[in-house]
Amino acid sequence: SYFMQLDKSKSASYVALPPGHYETVRLGCGIAKTWDVGDIFKGGMQVQAGSVSYAGKLSFVFQKNALQVVERSSRKMHATGYRDALAVAPSGQRLVSAFNLVPLTDEMASEGANASGFDVNAKGLPSGPQLNSLLGQLRQCEPKSKDPLQFGRLDYTAQYKAGRFSDFSSKKDANAFSDGFRSCVQDTLTAFRPPAGDVEIRVVY
């Protein structure tokens, strides 16, 4: 077992650990008060040699000395926490996602700071049931992202010819999302069948 001390006067905490797989167990205040937090990161966290694993920003909500809930933050707050984590990390070591070890960058933090949910824009396809259906299918990809850390921004533009997917004219992955999530978004776009004609659809998440 390893312990990380959380200082309420600081916005980020760091502890050096040997490389490997780690699971959260409990949160304590002294010896007498402890709370089980084993379900914060159900898949555990990864530590890689030569890098700092960033688990994101969390809020612990108490009521009458009882832990009520552990809240995961928005992408904006994760981006803010990234800056705080850089400040306490050893000099020269990069930050990676604690869940899939994807390297985190300043670009990802900037891109994702104001991102929230899916934004879909279409050229050649009016707003209506079909576009709403596509948005609904894309939203079903969110539970497939097993990363508790929502970090960065995804930006894909898909082209359709004669009612069928043709190609991605651009794909920007300034994020640390899971491969499963990105694949789900891509598969949803390639399977989409707009009316016959030339259509361009841009998806931002």
Side-chain angles (χ1 to χ4, degrees):
S1 295
Y2 293 86
F3 295 90
M4 171 180 281
Q5 185 169 350
L6 304 179
D7 186 340
K8 66 178 182 180
S9 67
K10 298 179 181 179
S11 54
S13 298
Y14 168 83
V15 62
L17 298 172
H21 177 88
Y22 292 85
E23 296 181 0
T24 51
V25 179
R26 65 182 62 88
L27 176 70
C29 181
I31 299 176
K33 296 178 182 177
T34 61
W35 302 273
D36 180 22
V37 292
D39 60 348
I40 293 180
F41 304 124
K42 294 181 180 179
M45 296 176 288
Q46 305 295 326
V47 173
Q48 183 182 62
S51 61
V52 176
S53 291
Y54 177 53
K57 205 168 183 68
L58 296 173
S59 297
F60 299 95
V61 182
F62 292 86
Q63 184 176 359
K64 295 182 179 180
N65 293 325
L67 180 62
Q68 298 296 310
V69 66
V70 181
E71 296 179 345
R72 294 192 180 94
S73 297
S74 64
R75 275 190 275 173
K76 181 176 181 179
M77 295 304 296
H78 284 320
T80 302
Y82 167 80
R83 308 291 182 189
D84 297 334
L86 280 176
V88 301
S91 177
Q93 290 195 354
R94 65 180 182 177
L95 265 63
V96 301
S97 167
F99 310 102
N100 58 18
L101 300 179
V102 172
L104 308 180
T105 65
D106 292 345
E107 180 190 13
M108 289 181 184
S110 298
E111 289 278 357
N114 297 312
S116 178
F118 280 100
D119 186 14
V120 178
N121 293 293
K123 293 181 181 179
L125 180 65
S127 299
Q130 193 168 28
L131 203 56
N132 291 336
S133 175
L134 173 62
L135 181 58
Q137 292 174 47
L138 289 168
R139 285 173 175 163
Q140 292 178 17
C141 292
E142 290 183 287
K144 296 181 181 180
S145 175
K146 298 180 180 179
D147 306 315
L149 177 64
Q150 286 281 304
F151 200 87
R153 190 171 187 245
L154 171 153
D155 190 339
Y156 294 159
T157 300
Q159 302 284 344
Y160 301 84
K161 305 290 185 182
R164 301 184 70 85
F165 173 79
S166 173
D167 198 1
F168 286 104
S169 60
S170 67
K171 289 170 66 176
K172 187 174 183 180
D173 280 314
N175 60 66
F177 302 143
S178 69
D179 290 340
F181 175 75
R182 289 196 299 269
S183 295
C184 181
V185 174
Q186 293 175 31
D187 291 345
T188 300
L189 288 172
T190 56
F192 182 62
R193 295 290 180 266
D198 294 346
V199 174
E200 178 183 281
I201 295 179
R202 182 185 179 191
V203 172
V204 178
Y205 180 80

